[in-house]
């Protein structure tokens, strides 16, 4: 994700790791909604800027 300039991108308490752009970090205050919104931002930017359709590697369960 470094090439997309997303390291450090943040939604609420969730942010893309500055060290490892493939990780989302919770600063202790992130909600599930924060994480899911950030995932959507990362996916959208990868699609627009690189034509890459990222797939979520974890199963998301529950409700927002």
């Amino acid at each position: 994700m470094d090439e997309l300039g997303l390291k450090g991108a943040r939604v609420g308490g969730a942010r893309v790791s500055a060290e490892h752009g493939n990780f989302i970090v919770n600063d202790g205050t992130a909600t599930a909604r924060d994480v899911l919104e950030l995932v959507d931002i990362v996916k959208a930017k990868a699609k627009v800027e690189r034509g890459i359709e990222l797939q979520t590697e974890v199963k998301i369960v529950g409700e927002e």
Side-chain angles (χ1 to χ4, degrees):
M1 294 300 103
D2 188 37
E3 306 85 34
L4 296 176
L6 286 167
K7 283 186 176 180
R10 173 180 291 274
V11 173
R15 67 176 168 78
V16 177
S17 171
E19 293 82 27
H20 301 286
N22 291 337
F23 291 93
I24 294 178
V25 178
N26 181 344
D27 72 3
T29 66
T31 63
R33 187 174 306 228
D34 293 341
V35 173
L36 294 174
E37 187 175 334
L38 186 55
V39 166
D40 287 343
I41 290 168
V42 169
K43 284 181 166 184
K45 192 161 184 179
K47 177 72 172 170
V48 168
E49 293 193 13
R50 299 279 192 237
I52 299 168
E53 216 162 306
L54 297 176
Q55 301 295 315
T56 307
E57 293 182 357
V58 296
K59 182 175 181 177
I60 298 171
V61 296
E63 298 178 26
E64 288 188 31

